[in-house]
Amino acid sequence: MTSLIAYFTKLGFLESDLSEFLSCIKTRNFSANELILADGQLENYLSFIDTGIVRYYVIANEKEITFDFAFKDSFYCAYDSFYNRTKTKIYIQTLTDCQLHSISYESLQKLYTKCETAKKLGRIATEYLLEKKVKRELDLLTKTPQERYSKLLLEQPKYIQQIPLKYLASYIGVVPETLSRIRKRIT
C-alpha cells in the first residue's frame, strides 16, 4: 500500500490521518487479460492501481471499442455504476498482471459519515476521475488521432509498449493499420 500512501502524502495528508481510510482498503490481485467488471454488473469498488494497466471498453455492433486506460498510481472505477448504484454498461479488463488497492462502496459511505479525511480522499478520487473524463472528451473533440497517440506516448511511454496495437488503435479512433502509419511518422 506504499504507493497509495505516497500518492496521498504528496497531496499533503499525513500518514497518521490515513489510518482509518487505509484500514478499509482491500488489496486485490488480477492476472493479465482478466475481466474485473462486465456489462450488467454493479461496480462495488473505487480502486487505486498499485501495479499494472487496465482497459475500459464497450461492445457495439459486435466490436470492442476501447475508450480508456488506467495506469499505475492512478484511480479507476466504473464511476457511473459506483456512485449511482446502477448496473454498468462497460467492461474493465486487466492488460497486465495488476495489484489494486480497493475500497468498497459501503465502506466508503460509512467512512464519509464519521471521518473528515475520508470525505477529502473520496473527493480527490472523484475529482481525478472527472478531470480525466473531461480531458478525454476534449481530446476526442479537438485532437487528431496522431495527436491523441502522441499525448498517450508522452504521458505513458513505458506502459504504452504493453498495450496491444488493436486496443491503442481503438482508443485513438483508428484502425490498426492507420496507427502503424502514425507510429512510423512519429519515429
Side-chain angles (χ1 to χ4, degrees):
M1 244 187 285
T2 309
S3 61
L4 182 59
I5 294 167
Y7 181 89
F8 285 121
T9 301
K10 284 180 191 171
L11 296 174
F13 290 90
L14 300 174
E15 190 171 340
S16 58
D17 294 336
L18 300 173
S19 61
E20 196 166 7
F21 176 78
L22 295 173
S23 71
C24 295
I25 297 293
K26 174 182 176 182
T27 299
R28 303 185 302 152
N29 292 295
F30 294 89
S31 299
N33 301 311
E34 192 172 341
L35 268 182
I36 298 173
L37 190 70
D39 181 7
Q41 294 181 323
L42 185 66
E43 174 66 274
N44 287 311
Y45 295 101
L46 171 63
S47 298
F48 183 83
I49 302 173
D50 185 45
T51 59
I53 303 169
V54 299
R55 161 178 95 107
Y56 295 74
Y57 69 96
V58 293
I59 297 178
N61 300 321
E62 300 179 23
K63 201 166 95 173
E64 291 182 8
I65 302 169
T66 299
F67 66 91
D68 207 357
F69 298 107
F71 301 93
K72 176 181 172 39
D73 294 335
S74 67
F75 288 97
Y76 95 86
C77 179
Y79 35 85
D80 57 333
S81 176
F82 184 79
Y83 290 109
N84 296 325
R85 307 312 298 148
T86 56
K87 293 180 180 178
T88 189
K89 299 282 186 206
I90 68 170
Y91 294 83
I92 299 178
Q93 173 193 30
T94 61
L95 294 182
T96 62
D97 291 346
C98 288
Q99 183 172 73
L100 310 174
H101 300 305
S102 305
I103 187 165
S104 71
Y105 178 84
E106 292 75 22
S107 293
L108 190 58
Q109 296 309 307
K110 285 178 188 171
L111 281 176
Y112 283 165
T113 63
K114 63 181 182 174
C115 178
E116 196 60 36
T117 299
K119 289 179 187 175
K120 291 176 185 174
L121 298 173
R123 190 187 79 236
I124 287 167
T126 302
E127 289 170 356
Y128 169 85
L129 292 169
L130 181 59
E131 179 183 15
K132 182 178 177 189
K133 180 181 178 352
V134 169
K135 284 180 178 177
R136 173 72 175 143
E137 289 172 353
L138 287 173
D139 284 351
L140 286 170
L141 293 170
T142 62
K143 293 187 179 348
T144 66
Q146 182 169 326
E147 290 170 327
R148 290 193 292 269
Y149 179 76
S150 294
K151 180 180 178 189
L152 186 60
L153 188 58
L154 180 68
E155 292 173 351
Q156 301 296 338
K158 86 177 195 186
Y159 296 114
I160 202 169
Q161 303 305 320
Q162 299 175 51
I163 300 173
L165 185 71
K166 66 182 180 179
Y167 300 151
L168 287 171
S170 176
Y171 175 74
I172 65 167
V174 297
V175 295
E177 296 78 16
T178 302
L179 178 55
S180 292
R181 287 192 294 275
I182 289 170
R183 284 176 142 176
K184 284 179 186 171
R185 280 195 301 265
I186 290 175
T187 55

mmCIF file of all heavy atoms in Angstrom, residues 98-128:
data_model
loop_
_atom_site.group_PDB
_atom_site.id
_atom_site.type_symbol
_atom_site.label_atom_id
_atom_site.label_comp_id
_atom_site.label_asym_id
_atom_site.label_seq_id
_atom_site.Cartn_x
_atom_site.Cartn_y
_atom_site.Cartn_z
ATOM 1 N N CYS A 98 -2.150 -7.186 -12.365
ATOM 2 C CA CYS A 98 -2.472 -5.957 -11.635
ATOM 3 C C CYS A 98 -2.644 -6.225 -10.148
ATOM 4 O O CYS A 98 -3.201 -7.250 -9.756
ATOM 5 C CB CYS A 98 -3.792 -5.364 -12.131
ATOM 6 S SG CYS A 98 -3.723 -4.629 -13.759
ATOM 7 N N GLN A 99 -2.174 -5.266 -9.378
ATOM 8 C CA GLN A 99 -2.482 -5.234 -7.956
ATOM 9 C C GLN A 99 -3.234 -3.939 -7.698
ATOM 10 O O GLN A 99 -2.764 -2.858 -8.056
ATOM 11 C CB GLN A 99 -1.234 -5.305 -7.086
ATOM 12 C CG GLN A 99 -1.597 -5.334 -5.597
ATOM 13 C CD GLN A 99 -0.404 -5.585 -4.715
ATOM 14 O OE1 GLN A 99 0.421 -4.690 -4.547
ATOM 15 N NE2 GLN A 99 -0.316 -6.787 -4.168
ATOM 16 N N LEU A 100 -4.404 -4.086 -7.095
ATOM 17 C CA LEU A 100 -5.277 -2.947 -6.845
ATOM 18 C C LEU A 100 -5.506 -2.785 -5.351
ATOM 19 O O LEU A 100 -5.614 -3.772 -4.629
ATOM 20 C CB LEU A 100 -6.640 -3.166 -7.512
ATOM 21 C CG LEU A 100 -6.641 -3.585 -8.977
ATOM 22 C CD1 LEU A 100 -8.057 -3.904 -9.433
ATOM 23 C CD2 LEU A 100 -6.014 -2.518 -9.844
ATOM 24 N N HIS A 101 -5.589 -1.541 -4.906
ATOM 25 C CA HIS A 101 -5.989 -1.237 -3.539
ATOM 26 C C HIS A 101 -7.386 -0.637 -3.654
ATOM 27 O O HIS A 101 -7.556 0.442 -4.237
ATOM 28 C CB HIS A 101 -5.015 -0.268 -2.880
ATOM 29 C CG HIS A 101 -3.621 -0.800 -2.810
ATOM 30 N ND1 HIS A 101 -3.312 -2.016 -2.228
ATOM 31 C CD2 HIS A 101 -2.456 -0.317 -3.263
ATOM 32 C CE1 HIS A 101 -2.013 -2.237 -2.307
ATOM 33 N NE2 HIS A 101 -1.470 -1.216 -2.950
ATOM 34 N N SER A 102 -8.366 -1.355 -3.122
ATOM 35 C CA SER A 102 -9.766 -1.007 -3.362
ATOM 36 C C SER A 102 -10.519 -0.761 -2.067
ATOM 37 O O SER A 102 -10.271 -1.409 -1.049
ATOM 38 C CB SER A 102 -10.457 -2.154 -4.110
ATOM 39 O OG SER A 102 -9.765 -2.478 -5.292
ATOM 40 N N ILE A 103 -11.460 0.162 -2.156
ATOM 41 C CA ILE A 103 -12.383 0.393 -1.044
ATOM 42 C C ILE A 103 -13.789 0.166 -1.579
ATOM 43 O O ILE A 103 -14.128 0.606 -2.681
ATOM 44 C CB ILE A 103 -12.218 1.799 -0.418
ATOM 45 C CG1 ILE A 103 -13.075 1.919 0.848
ATOM 46 C CG2 ILE A 103 -12.500 2.902 -1.414
ATOM 47 C CD1 ILE A 103 -12.721 3.102 1.732
ATOM 48 N N SER A 104 -14.593 -0.553 -0.821
ATOM 49 C CA SER A 104 -15.951 -0.845 -1.265
ATOM 50 C C SER A 104 -16.839 0.379 -1.108
ATOM 51 O O SER A 104 -16.557 1.285 -0.298
ATOM 52 C CB SER A 104 -16.539 -2.010 -0.461
ATOM 53 O OG SER A 104 -16.805 -1.597 0.874
ATOM 54 N N TYR A 105 -17.903 0.395 -1.844
ATOM 55 C CA TYR A 105 -18.869 1.488 -1.770
ATOM 56 C C TYR A 105 -19.398 1.620 -0.346
ATOM 57 O O TYR A 105 -19.457 2.721 0.203
ATOM 58 C CB TYR A 105 -20.025 1.233 -2.749
ATOM 59 C CG TYR A 105 -21.078 2.302 -2.691
ATOM 60 C CD1 TYR A 105 -20.940 3.482 -3.411
ATOM 61 C CD2 TYR A 105 -22.215 2.148 -1.895
ATOM 62 C CE1 TYR A 105 -21.898 4.481 -3.355
ATOM 63 C CE2 TYR A 105 -23.172 3.139 -1.829
ATOM 64 C CZ TYR A 105 -23.018 4.302 -2.557
ATOM 65 O OH TYR A 105 -23.963 5.299 -2.489
ATOM 66 N N GLU A 106 -19.757 0.487 0.256
ATOM 67 C CA GLU A 106 -20.316 0.503 1.601
ATOM 68 C C GLU A 106 -19.306 1.061 2.607
ATOM 69 O O GLU A 106 -19.651 1.888 3.452
ATOM 70 C CB GLU A 106 -20.760 -0.912 2.027
ATOM 71 C CG GLU A 106 -21.945 -1.444 1.252
ATOM 72 C CD GLU A 106 -21.609 -1.904 -0.177
ATOM 73 O OE1 GLU A 106 -20.423 -2.222 -0.470
ATOM 74 O OE2 GLU A 106 -22.529 -1.908 -1.010
ATOM 75 N N SER A 107 -18.068 0.619 2.535
ATOM 76 C CA SER A 107 -17.044 1.113 3.464
ATOM 77 C C SER A 107 -16.821 2.612 3.290
ATOM 78 O O SER A 107 -16.681 3.348 4.273
ATOM 79 C CB SER A 107 -15.718 0.376 3.250
ATOM 80 O OG SER A 107 -15.836 -0.971 3.616
ATOM 81 N N LEU A 108 -16.781 3.055 2.047
ATOM 82 C CA LEU A 108 -16.568 4.474 1.787
ATOM 83 C C LEU A 108 -17.722 5.307 2.345
ATOM 84 O O LEU A 108 -17.503 6.353 2.972
ATOM 85 C CB LEU A 108 -16.392 4.711 0.287
ATOM 86 C CG LEU A 108 -15.926 6.092 -0.140
ATOM 87 C CD1 LEU A 108 -14.592 6.463 0.507
ATOM 88 C CD2 LEU A 108 -15.805 6.170 -1.656
ATOM 89 N N GLN A 109 -18.943 4.849 2.162
ATOM 90 C CA GLN A 109 -20.098 5.586 2.673
ATOM 91 C C GLN A 109 -20.076 5.660 4.200
ATOM 92 O O GLN A 109 -20.371 6.704 4.787
ATOM 93 C CB GLN A 109 -21.416 4.952 2.195
ATOM 94 C CG GLN A 109 -21.609 4.992 0.687
ATOM 95 C CD GLN A 109 -21.405 6.362 0.082
ATOM 96 O OE1 GLN A 109 -22.007 7.345 0.511
ATOM 97 N NE2 GLN A 109 -20.550 6.455 -0.919
ATOM 98 N N LYS A 110 -19.699 4.572 4.851
ATOM 99 C CA LYS A 110 -19.594 4.573 6.323
ATOM 100 C C LYS A 110 -18.513 5.549 6.778
ATOM 101 O O LYS A 110 -18.705 6.285 7.745
ATOM 102 C CB LYS A 110 -19.275 3.166 6.837
ATOM 103 C CG LYS A 110 -20.454 2.232 6.792
ATOM 104 C CD LYS A 110 -20.065 0.841 7.261
ATOM 105 C CE LYS A 110 -21.192 -0.127 7.027
ATOM 106 N NZ LYS A 110 -20.804 -1.528 7.264
ATOM 107 N N LEU A 111 -17.380 5.541 6.083
ATOM 108 C CA LEU A 111 -16.300 6.471 6.441
ATOM 109 C C LEU A 111 -16.719 7.927 6.257
ATOM 110 O O LEU A 111 -16.344 8.788 7.042
ATOM 111 C CB LEU A 111 -15.053 6.183 5.607
ATOM 112 C CG LEU A 111 -14.196 5.015 6.038
ATOM 113 C CD1 LEU A 111 -13.052 4.798 5.053
ATOM 114 C CD2 LEU A 111 -13.652 5.202 7.446
ATOM 115 N N TYR A 112 -17.504 8.186 5.217
ATOM 116 C CA TYR A 112 -17.957 9.554 4.964
ATOM 117 C C TYR A 112 -18.734 10.117 6.156
ATOM 118 O O TYR A 112 -18.670 11.307 6.432
ATOM 119 C CB TYR A 112 -18.850 9.628 3.727
ATOM 120 C CG TYR A 112 -18.134 9.569 2.400
ATOM 121 C CD1 TYR A 112 -18.856 9.319 1.234
ATOM 122 C CD2 TYR A 112 -16.764 9.761 2.283
ATOM 123 C CE1 TYR A 112 -18.224 9.275 -0.002
ATOM 124 C CE2 TYR A 112 -16.132 9.711 1.051
ATOM 125 C CZ TYR A 112 -16.861 9.468 -0.087
ATOM 126 O OH TYR A 112 -16.246 9.417 -1.311
ATOM 127 N N THR A 113 -19.480 9.270 6.846
ATOM 128 C CA THR A 113 -20.311 9.752 7.957
ATOM 129 C C THR A 113 -19.508 10.041 9.210
ATOM 130 O O THR A 113 -19.965 10.777 10.076
ATOM 131 C CB THR A 113 -21.426 8.742 8.304
ATOM 132 O OG1 THR A 113 -20.834 7.524 8.759
ATOM 133 C CG2 THR A 113 -22.332 8.494 7.112
ATOM 134 N N LYS A 114 -18.307 9.475 9.325
ATOM 135 C CA LYS A 114 -17.571 9.637 10.581
ATOM 136 C C LYS A 114 -16.148 10.162 10.444
ATOM 137 O O LYS A 114 -15.486 10.399 11.449
ATOM 138 C CB LYS A 114 -17.551 8.312 11.348
ATOM 139 C CG LYS A 114 -16.825 7.178 10.647
ATOM 140 C CD LYS A 114 -16.872 5.910 11.479
ATOM 141 C CE LYS A 114 -16.111 4.800 10.801
ATOM 142 N NZ LYS A 114 -16.023 3.622 11.622
ATOM 143 N N CYS A 115 -15.690 10.363 9.236
ATOM 144 C CA CYS A 115 -14.276 10.706 9.069
ATOM 145 C C CYS A 115 -14.113 11.813 8.027
ATOM 146 O O CYS A 115 -14.374 11.593 6.836
ATOM 147 C CB CYS A 115 -13.506 9.449 8.660
ATOM 148 S SG CYS A 115 -11.761 9.686 8.350
ATOM 149 N N GLU A 116 -13.681 12.974 8.468
ATOM 150 C CA GLU A 116 -13.488 14.119 7.568
ATOM 151 C C GLU A 116 -12.408 13.822 6.522
ATOM 152 O O GLU A 116 -12.529 14.222 5.365
ATOM 153 C CB GLU A 116 -13.135 15.365 8.383
ATOM 154 C CG GLU A 116 -13.295 16.659 7.628
ATOM 155 C CD GLU A 116 -14.715 16.914 7.133
ATOM 156 O OE1 GLU A 116 -15.691 16.571 7.808
ATOM 157 O OE2 GLU A 116 -14.834 17.467 6.021
ATOM 158 N N THR A 117 -11.371 13.114 6.915
ATOM 159 C CA THR A 117 -10.291 12.770 5.974
ATOM 160 C C THR A 117 -10.835 11.914 4.831
ATOM 161 O O THR A 117 -10.476 12.119 3.680
ATOM 162 C CB THR A 117 -9.143 12.037 6.702
ATOM 163 O OG1 THR A 117 -8.613 12.905 7.704
ATOM 164 C CG2 THR A 117 -8.044 11.639 5.744
ATOM 165 N N ALA A 118 -11.723 10.976 5.153
ATOM 166 C CA ALA A 118 -12.306 10.119 4.113
ATOM 167 C C ALA A 118 -13.084 10.947 3.096
ATOM 168 O O ALA A 118 -13.029 10.675 1.893
ATOM 169 C CB ALA A 118 -13.205 9.060 4.733
ATOM 170 N N LYS A 119 -13.796 11.955 3.573
ATOM 171 C CA LYS A 119 -14.531 12.831 2.649
ATOM 172 C C LYS A 119 -13.568 13.521 1.689
ATOM 173 O O LYS A 119 -13.828 13.607 0.492
ATOM 174 C CB LYS A 119 -15.324 13.886 3.425
ATOM 175 C CG LYS A 119 -16.510 13.345 4.166
ATOM 176 C CD LYS A 119 -17.205 14.472 4.919
ATOM 177 C CE LYS A 119 -18.287 13.944 5.814
ATOM 178 N NZ LYS A 119 -18.893 14.997 6.630
ATOM 179 N N LYS A 120 -12.458 13.991 2.219
ATOM 180 C CA LYS A 120 -11.463 14.654 1.374
ATOM 181 C C LYS A 120 -10.837 13.672 0.391
ATOM 182 O O LYS A 120 -10.661 13.993 -0.789
ATOM 183 C CB LYS A 120 -10.372 15.290 2.244
ATOM 184 C CG LYS A 120 -10.846 16.464 3.053
ATOM 185 C CD LYS A 120 -9.738 16.988 3.955
ATOM 186 C CE LYS A 120 -10.234 18.092 4.867
ATOM 187 N NZ LYS A 120 -9.223 18.496 5.830
ATOM 188 N N LEU A 121 -10.513 12.469 0.864
ATOM 189 C CA LEU A 121 -9.904 11.461 -0.005
ATOM 190 C C LEU A 121 -10.873 11.041 -1.109
ATOM 191 O O LEU A 121 -10.485 10.902 -2.273
ATOM 192 C CB LEU A 121 -9.460 10.244 0.808
ATOM 193 C CG LEU A 121 -8.390 10.488 1.868
ATOM 194 C CD1 LEU A 121 -8.167 9.236 2.709
ATOM 195 C CD2 LEU A 121 -7.093 10.937 1.232
ATOM 196 N N GLY A 122 -12.136 10.835 -0.756
ATOM 197 C CA GLY A 122 -13.151 10.474 -1.746
ATOM 198 C C GLY A 122 -13.344 11.565 -2.776
ATOM 199 O O GLY A 122 -13.498 11.300 -3.968
ATOM 200 N N ARG A 123 -13.328 12.819 -2.301
ATOM 201 C CA ARG A 123 -13.470 13.951 -3.224
ATOM 202 C C ARG A 123 -12.297 14.005 -4.193
ATOM 203 O O ARG A 123 -12.474 14.224 -5.393
ATOM 204 C CB ARG A 123 -13.576 15.261 -2.439
ATOM 205 C CG ARG A 123 -13.956 16.430 -3.329
ATOM 206 C CD ARG A 123 -13.908 17.770 -2.622
ATOM 207 N NE ARG A 123 -12.510 18.193 -2.564
ATOM 208 C CZ ARG A 123 -11.844 18.494 -1.461
ATOM 209 N NH1 ARG A 123 -12.422 18.432 -0.288
ATOM 210 N NH2 ARG A 123 -10.585 18.867 -1.517
ATOM 211 N N ILE A 124 -11.090 13.778 -3.680
ATOM 212 C CA ILE A 124 -9.900 13.795 -4.540
ATOM 213 C C ILE A 124 -10.006 12.724 -5.619
ATOM 214 O O ILE A 124 -9.738 12.976 -6.794
ATOM 215 C CB ILE A 124 -8.622 13.626 -3.696
ATOM 216 C CG1 ILE A 124 -8.342 14.912 -2.914
ATOM 217 C CG2 ILE A 124 -7.426 13.250 -4.564
ATOM 218 C CD1 ILE A 124 -7.299 14.765 -1.826
ATOM 219 N N ALA A 125 -10.403 11.512 -5.234
ATOM 220 C CA ALA A 125 -10.537 10.420 -6.206
ATOM 221 C C ALA A 125 -11.606 10.752 -7.247
ATOM 222 O O ALA A 125 -11.413 10.547 -8.449
ATOM 223 C CB ALA A 125 -10.860 9.111 -5.496
ATOM 224 N N THR A 126 -12.734 11.281 -6.790
ATOM 225 C CA THR A 126 -13.820 11.638 -7.705
ATOM 226 C C THR A 126 -13.385 12.742 -8.666
ATOM 227 O O THR A 126 -13.652 12.675 -9.867
ATOM 228 C CB THR A 126 -15.066 12.080 -6.912
ATOM 229 O OG1 THR A 126 -15.457 11.017 -6.045
ATOM 230 C CG2 THR A 126 -16.215 12.429 -7.834
ATOM 231 N N GLU A 127 -12.720 13.748 -8.127
ATOM 232 C CA GLU A 127 -12.243 14.844 -8.975
ATOM 233 C C GLU A 127 -11.230 14.348 -9.995
ATOM 234 O O GLU A 127 -11.236 14.780 -11.153
ATOM 235 C CB GLU A 127 -11.646 15.956 -8.118
ATOM 236 C CG GLU A 127 -12.696 16.726 -7.339
ATOM 237 C CD GLU A 127 -12.106 17.684 -6.307
ATOM 238 O OE1 GLU A 127 -10.865 17.706 -6.118
ATOM 239 O OE2 GLU A 127 -12.896 18.415 -5.674
ATOM 240 N N TYR A 128 -10.363 13.421 -9.595
ATOM 241 C CA TYR A 128 -9.395 12.846 -10.520
ATOM 242 C C TYR A 128 -10.117 12.160 -11.674
ATOM 243 O O TYR A 128 -9.792 12.382 -12.844
ATOM 244 C CB TYR A 128 -8.486 11.838 -9.785
ATOM 245 C CG TYR A 128 -7.643 11.027 -10.738
ATOM 246 C CD1 TYR A 128 -6.431 11.519 -11.209
ATOM 247 C CD2 TYR A 128 -8.071 9.785 -11.207
ATOM 248 C CE1 TYR A 128 -5.676 10.791 -12.118
ATOM 249 C CE2 TYR A 128 -7.319 9.060 -12.110
ATOM 250 C CZ TYR A 128 -6.120 9.562 -12.555
ATOM 251 O OH TYR A 128 -5.386 8.843 -13.463
#
